[in-house]
């Protein structure tokens, strides 16, 4: 039991659904996807838990389905974190190389990293990630300055933090299933991990995960995550806009219209081109102008992208985004969404593709975050790698005697 | 020189958020998993505790009485002794031979020593002793089959007693054999019994005797029933077995030829001689070879010398010089009366 493969449940508690993918890690080097469980989400709004009982019920149900699908018990959970409460800031530190021969030592690196991460947060905020940017040694980018010759060493961190109580809510929902949360990973980072290649990240890429309640984004440059963010707008807002704009009482009807006739770019100009609301000619069925549907969805999409670009600010330089914009998430299935992204961001855009080895049933954009949760730590320790390199004490003892699954 | 690094405490991270387990906030599946985890932890703790306690006890016993570790169930008293045998020996004889004390413990028994006790008399060729937990001892005996008998005196005892001789020459007392079965066995003559330990050394040449008697019982059972003495006196020198029979008189067999063929010639010669010669003891020599059978009528003197079978008891003196060389003296050469070529 102590030496068997580890089963990790990747859990994304989204606004529209809860997804759990079970991955089997063999010695931390290989990953097999062995189970899937999902169910409609309840008690979650824009990535935050608003009804603990309802959220727990659906998350636990999804976990049970995933365990049943995998045929084994989940050992630990990697949880995706999203929500409008998340924020980030950039913090940089610079130290002079201490050695007389100007050779950078491990101590220098630890010092500069600790300094860059030591910025205090307001009360009630907690750090989710410290995303390290490339080191600079005398102004030049170096992936690992240790043993190199230089005088001034700089490093920058993008620190992602969130509201502690909301993060704790997510964790407590999982703990109600008596399984421990071992990793908490930003949804945008997870999606980015699944949808981009190391080359994409090196050349520069912007990944947008358009979910039902939020849109998570991450900007990659020089192989590192430069900036992340969350916009509390998602596909559900498109549906709401359609419902309001077309005076529909039923959200399901608006959702169907969005999926079948919505477009991120308004193409239809013919006001006589109409589509049936239900298509069954039953009482209440009526015709709606296609152009109106497209205009609503296109306007909302463009607005969303513009908000993202505005949040990226000066960090977004189209000429340094060679891999373009990569779209994923359930709402990225909207027609012509890549065209709209290309127009707003001034770079080519495409729909994200998971790695080739992922099975067909998990290739839908809605699974990108859960997949990325499993891929995120595969073979590479998380940030704070200096600490991650150190062996943890008492692992065996904890496995034997801790009261957990 | 670097400016002094300001050691500000690192900001609080999500890993510092406690992950308590409050049963009220848990789902039914969560509570079930918690119970299973607690049971597993308790099981692991119990196993660890048991192993630790066992180790402490083992060390204590090892220091105090290492023998107790060698026979961990030595406290179990021996109950039933089950005996299986391919001969005549039974449980009573076996118990007596084993001489087990009433307080004997099954795991404390020295099976090798007990087996040696069973083999002492010579009647048991092989023995297997098996412990059957919790308290049984299974004894399987493989016995020697007697083919002849011999009268012998024990040292310091003038009363001769009958001993049995097996096909491999082993001499044994023959416990458990029925007297009428023993009475049917021929006596052995012309042998020297040499004491060896508590018993006697194996008799050489008994394989030929066993073959002869087995062939006789199979080919000529009527004649075989009349065999009184089988003498080994000429076996070493002439390769001949001399049989005294109450019906024929004296028969000389060649040990190197198949006995079945010799017995067939004997029957034919005996029948022919009976027709041609007057009744009386004969001497038939089948050891001439070439199918020759010498049939001679014994003289009265030779017959008288033979007496009641011509049996003489072998001495049990340990000095070969004091032992008689043969159980009986050979009769004088008979007068030739007829010869048959078969």
């Amino acid at each position: 039991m102590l030496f068997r493969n580890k089963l990790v449940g990747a859990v994304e508690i989204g606004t529209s659904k809860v997804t759990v993918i079970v991955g089997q890690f063999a010695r931390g080097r290989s990953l097999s996807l062995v189970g899937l469980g999902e169910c409609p989400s309840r008690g979650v709004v824009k990535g935050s838990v608003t009804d603990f009982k309802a959220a727990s019920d659906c998350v636990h149900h999804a976990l049970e389905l995933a365990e049943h699908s995998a045929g084994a018990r989940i050992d630990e959970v990697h949880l995706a974190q999203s929500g409008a409460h998340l924020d980030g800031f950039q913090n940089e530190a610079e130290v002079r190389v201490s050695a007389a021969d100007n050779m950078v030592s491990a101590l220098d690196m630890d010092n500069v990293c600790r300094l860059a991460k030591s910025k205090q947060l307001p009360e009630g905020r907690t750090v989710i990630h410290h995303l390290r940017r490339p080191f600079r040694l005398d102004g030049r980018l170096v992936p690992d300055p240790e043993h190199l010759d230089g005088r001034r060493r700089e490093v920058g961190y993008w620190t992602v933090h969130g509201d502690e109580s909301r993060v704790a809510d997510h964790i407590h929902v999982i703990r109600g299933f008596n399984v421990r949360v071992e990793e908490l990973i930003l949804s945008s980072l997870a999606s980015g991990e699944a949808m981009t290649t190391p080359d994409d990240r090196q050349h520069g890429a912007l990944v947008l995960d358009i979910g039902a309640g939020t849109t998570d984004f991450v900007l990659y440059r020089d192989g590192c995550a430069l900036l992340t963010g969350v916009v509390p707008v998602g596909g559900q807002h498109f549906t709401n806009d359609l419902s309001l704009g077309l005076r529909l009482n039923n959200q399901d009807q608006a959702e169907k219209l969005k999926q079948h006739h919505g477009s991120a770019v308004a193409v239809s100009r013919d006001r006589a081109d109409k589509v049936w609301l239900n298509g069954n000619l039953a009482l209440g069925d009526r015709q709606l102008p296609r152009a109106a549907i497209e205009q609503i969805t296109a306007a909302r999409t463009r607005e969303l992208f513009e908000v993202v670009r505005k949040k990226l600010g000066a960090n977004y330089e189209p000429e340094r985004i060679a891999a373009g914009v990569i779209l994923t998430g359930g709402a990225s299935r909207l027609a012509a969404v890549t065209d709209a992204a290309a127009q707003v961001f001034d770079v080519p855009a495409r729909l994200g593709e998971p790695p080739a080895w992922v099975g067909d049933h998990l290739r839908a954009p809605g699974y990108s975050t859960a997949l990325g949760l499993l891929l995120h730590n595969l073979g590479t320790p998380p940030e704070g790698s200096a600490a991650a390199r150190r062996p943890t004490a008492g692992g065996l003892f904890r496995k034997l005697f801790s009261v957990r699954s | 020189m670097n400016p002094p690094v300001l050691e500000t405490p690192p900001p609080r991270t999500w890993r510092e958020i406690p992950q308590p387990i409050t049963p009220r906030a848990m789902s039914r599946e969560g509570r079930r998993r918690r119970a299973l985890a607690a049971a597993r932890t308790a099981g692991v703790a119990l196993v660890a505790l048991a192993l630790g306690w066992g180790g402490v006890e083992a060390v204590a016993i090892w220091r105090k009485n290492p023998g107790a570790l060698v026979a961990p169930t030595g406290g179990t008293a021996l109950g039933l002794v089950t005996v299986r045998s391919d001969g005549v020996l039974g449980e009573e004889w076996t118990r007596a031979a084993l001489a087990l004390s009433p307080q004997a413990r099954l795991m404390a028994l020295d099976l090798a020593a007990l087996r040696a006790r069973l083999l002492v008399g010579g009647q048991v060729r092989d023995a297997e002793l098996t412990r059957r937990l919790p308290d049984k001892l299974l004894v399987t005996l493989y016995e020697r089959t007697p083919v002849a008998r011999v009268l012998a005196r024990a040292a310091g005892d003038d009363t001769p007693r009958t001993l049995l001789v097996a096909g491999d020459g082993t001499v044994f007392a023959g416990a458990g054999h029925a007297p009428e079965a023993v009475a049917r066995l021929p006596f052995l003559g012309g042998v020297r019994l040499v004491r060896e330990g508590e018993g006697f050394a194996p008799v050489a040449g008994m394989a030929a005797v066993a073959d002869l008697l087995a062939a006789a019982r199979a080919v000529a059972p009527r004649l075989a029933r009349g065999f009184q003495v089988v003498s080994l006196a000429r076996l070493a020198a002439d390769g001949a077995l001399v049989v005294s029979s109450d019906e024929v008189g004296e028969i000389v067999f060649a040990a190197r030829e198949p006995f079945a063929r010799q017995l067939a010639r004997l029957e034919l010669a005996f029948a022919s001689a009976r027709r041609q010669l007057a009744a009386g003891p004969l001497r038939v020599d089948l050891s001439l070879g070439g199918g020759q059978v010498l049939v001679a009528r014994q003289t009265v003197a030779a017959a008288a010398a033979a007496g009641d079978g011509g049996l003489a008891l072998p001495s049990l003196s340990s000095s070969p010089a004091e032992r008689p060389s043969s159980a009986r003296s050979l009769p004088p050469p008979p007068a030739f009366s007829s010869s048959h070529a078969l």
Side-chain angles (χ1 to χ4, degrees):
Chain A
M1 288 291 288
L2 293 175
F3 303 105
R4 73 187 170 96
N5 296 333
K6 187 169 63 174
L7 281 186
V8 175
V11 181
E12 183 195 14
I13 306 173
T15 304
S16 68
K17 63 172 179 160
V18 176
T19 305
V20 180
I21 295 178
V22 183
Q24 187 178 37
F25 284 86
R27 297 172 185 274
R29 287 197 291 265
S30 69
L31 167 67
S32 306
L33 305 178
V34 295
L36 169 67
E38 55 185 337
C39 71
S41 181
R42 283 176 284 121
V44 181
V45 176
K46 296 182 190 296
S48 296
V49 175
T50 55
D51 182 341
F52 187 85
K53 180 76 171 63
S56 292
D57 286 346
C58 64
V59 170
H60 296 177
H61 181 56
L63 282 165
E64 277 185 59
L65 290 175
E67 284 193 336
H68 187 260
S69 168
R73 293 176 64 189
I74 293 170
D75 296 316
E76 63 184 50
V77 160
H78 291 189
L79 179 63
Q81 183 63 55
S82 183
H85 63 97
L86 296 174
D87 204 351
F89 62 85
Q90 181 181 330
N91 197 24
E92 293 185 345
E94 173 191 326
V95 294
R96 293 186 183 280
V97 177
S98 57
D101 58 358
N102 290 330
M103 184 177 286
V104 179
S105 65
L107 183 65
D108 290 329
M109 292 177 67
D110 278 351
N111 277 339
V112 74
C113 290
R114 197 170 63 249
L115 202 62
K117 291 191 289 188
S118 63
K119 189 164 183 176
Q120 290 299 299
L121 299 175
E123 189 66 26
R125 304 294 291 182
T126 186
V127 171
I128 309 296
H129 286 292
H130 287 294
L131 302 175
R132 186 177 57 75
R133 295 169 174 177
F135 288 101
R136 286 181 181 274
L137 188 63
D138 294 338
R140 61 191 166 105
L141 281 178
V142 286
D144 186 357
E146 192 172 356
H147 306 307
L148 293 181
D149 194 78
R151 293 172 185 281
R152 196 180 73 252
R153 201 158 39 78
E154 304 161 69
V155 70
Y157 274 89
W158 177 257
T159 299
V160 183
H161 55 96
D163 186 89
E164 185 169 329
S165 59
R166 295 193 192 185
V167 174
D169 286 343
H170 272 69
I171 292 173
H172 293 159
V173 165
I174 301 296
R175 288 298 288 147
F177 197 67
N178 198 38
V179 61
R180 197 171 179 82
V181 177
E182 288 294 333
E183 291 294 340
L184 188 72
I185 300 163
L186 209 59
S187 293
S188 56
L189 275 181
S191 299
E193 192 77 34
M195 295 294 132
T196 60
T197 64
D199 281 346
D200 290 337
R201 296 193 283 271
Q202 187 63 38
H203 297 146
L206 174 65
V207 179
L208 271 75
D209 182 349
I210 312 172
T214 60
T215 296
D216 299 90
F217 61 89
V218 55
L219 178 66
Y220 289 104
R221 193 186 293 167
D222 302 320
C224 299
L226 184 75
L227 188 145
T228 64
V230 182
V231 178
V233 176
Q236 217 167 56
H237 296 87
F238 296 15
T239 307
N240 284 339
D241 288 348
L242 280 174
S243 180
L244 290 171
L246 301 174
R247 293 186 176 81
L248 304 175
N249 295 325
N250 194 328
Q251 286 280 320
D252 290 341
Q253 290 175 329
E255 182 67 23
K256 282 182 184 173
L257 281 177
K258 182 185 79 176
Q259 289 176 4
H260 295 134
H261 308 293
S263 174
V265 177
V267 178
S268 178
R269 307 255 179 221
D270 184 4
R271 299 195 66 81
D273 183 8
K274 296 192 174 179
V275 297
W276 285 97
L277 177 60
N278 298 326
N280 56 7
L281 301 178
L283 193 65
D285 197 10
R286 59 191 171 101
Q287 287 189 316
L288 299 167
R290 182 189 298 272
I293 298 169
E294 288 184 354
Q295 281 171 7
I296 291 171
T297 53
R300 194 48 135 161
T301 308
R302 188 174 184 86
E303 182 188 4
L304 170 65
F305 290 158
E306 284 173 349
V307 170
V308 171
R309 179 158 184 174
K310 188 176 177 184
K311 290 196 84 166
L312 289 169
N315 290 302
Y316 183 75
E317 300 170 65
E319 63 274 15
R320 299 186 66 181
I321 311 293
V325 176
I326 298 165
L327 298 164
T328 188
S332 69
R333 287 176 295 191
L334 189 68
V337 71
T338 53
D339 297 336
Q343 288 172 13
V344 174
F345 291 104
D346 297 323
V347 289
R350 58 183 164 92
L351 293 176
E353 281 287 325
W357 55 266
V358 176
D360 288 341
H361 63 296
L362 293 176
R363 298 188 74 82
Y367 298 128
S368 61
T369 302
L371 277 176
L373 291 172
L374 295 172
L375 294 171
H376 185 67
N377 289 334
L378 182 64
T380 57
E383 77 281 347
S385 55
R389 280 198 295 267
R390 293 187 197 107
T392 54
L396 177 66
F397 188 83
R398 200 181 69 176
K399 263 179 182 283
L400 276 174
F401 294 105
S402 64
V403 181
R404 63 188 184 94
S405 63
Chain B
M1 188 79 182
N2 279 329
V5 176
L6 292 174
E7 287 293 340
T8 54
R12 185 176 168 82
T13 74
W14 73 269
R15 290 188 188 278
E16 294 167 52
I17 296 174
Q19 298 193 26
I21 306 173
T22 50
R24 286 177 61 83
M26 293 172 75
S27 63
R28 192 175 59 181
E29 174 63 16
R31 281 192 288 271
R32 194 178 69 83
R33 289 169 65 98
R34 184 170 183 249
L36 281 175
R40 191 182 67 170
T41 305
V44 169
L46 276 177
V47 169
L49 202 64
L51 287 175
W53 179 75
V56 169
E57 283 291 312
V59 169
I61 291 172
W62 181 259
R63 286 181 178 167
K64 193 175 176 183
N65 179 19
L69 287 182
V70 177
T73 56
T76 307
L78 174 62
L80 193 62
V81 177
T82 307
V83 178
R84 292 177 187 165
S85 175
D86 62 349
V88 297
L89 295 176
E91 187 177 331
E92 189 180 350
W93 179 89
T94 308
R95 277 189 174 276
L98 292 174
L100 295 168
S101 74
Q103 290 80 29
R105 306 294 182 205
L106 179 65
M107 296 306 292
L109 294 177
D110 184 349
L111 297 187
L114 293 178
R115 180 174 175 273
R117 286 184 201 173
L118 292 172
L119 300 180
V120 161
Q123 184 166 349
V124 178
R125 175 172 49 85
D126 196 7
E128 291 175 1
L129 291 94
T130 312
R131 291 187 184 94
R132 290 286 169 88
L133 297 176
D135 62 348
K136 287 182 186 174
L137 179 66
L138 173 63
V139 180
T140 307
L141 302 175
Y142 302 96
E143 294 183 39
R144 288 190 169 90
T145 305
V147 296
R149 53 180 164 156
V150 64
L151 281 174
R153 294 188 188 94
D157 185 4
D158 288 341
T159 307
R161 55 193 180 103
T162 301
L163 301 176
L164 305 183
V165 186
D168 61 355
T170 304
V171 181
F172 56 93
H177 286 281
E180 55 272 22
V182 174
R184 284 197 293 270
L185 296 174
F187 279 99
L188 209 58
V191 296
R192 293 176 181 173
L193 292 183
V194 180
R195 186 172 293 282
E196 188 177 85
E198 292 294 317
F200 298 97
V203 177
M206 277 306 293
V209 176
D211 288 348
L212 169 63
L213 295 176
R217 285 190 197 101
V219 175
R222 189 176 60 83
L223 281 173
R225 278 195 294 272
F227 285 4
Q228 295 295 316
V229 179
V230 179
S231 173
L232 299 169
R234 292 174 57 193
L235 181 63
D238 304 334
L241 289 173
V242 181
V243 176
S244 296
S245 167
D246 57 354
E247 190 170 4
V248 179
E250 188 176 89
I251 311 162
V252 181
F253 290 95
R256 289 182 291 274
E257 283 187 49
F259 290 117
R261 188 178 298 170
Q262 294 181 68
L263 285 163
R265 296 206 315 262
L266 171 65
E267 279 205 309
L268 190 60
F270 181 64
S272 175
R274 274 294 177 87
R275 282 195 302 273
Q276 297 176 17
L277 302 174
L282 298 174
R283 183 170 184 275
V284 180
D285 194 340
L286 299 164
S287 64
L288 299 176
Q292 296 291 315
V293 177
L294 178 65
V295 179
R297 188 166 58 186
Q298 288 180 289
T299 62
V300 175
D308 60 347
L311 186 66
L313 293 176
S315 165
L316 294 180
S317 61
S318 57
S319 170
E322 295 174 12
R323 292 185 209 120
S325 61
S326 174
R328 57 175 274 189
S329 59
L330 285 174
F336 280 107
S337 62
S338 67
S339 175
H340 292 266
L342 298 177

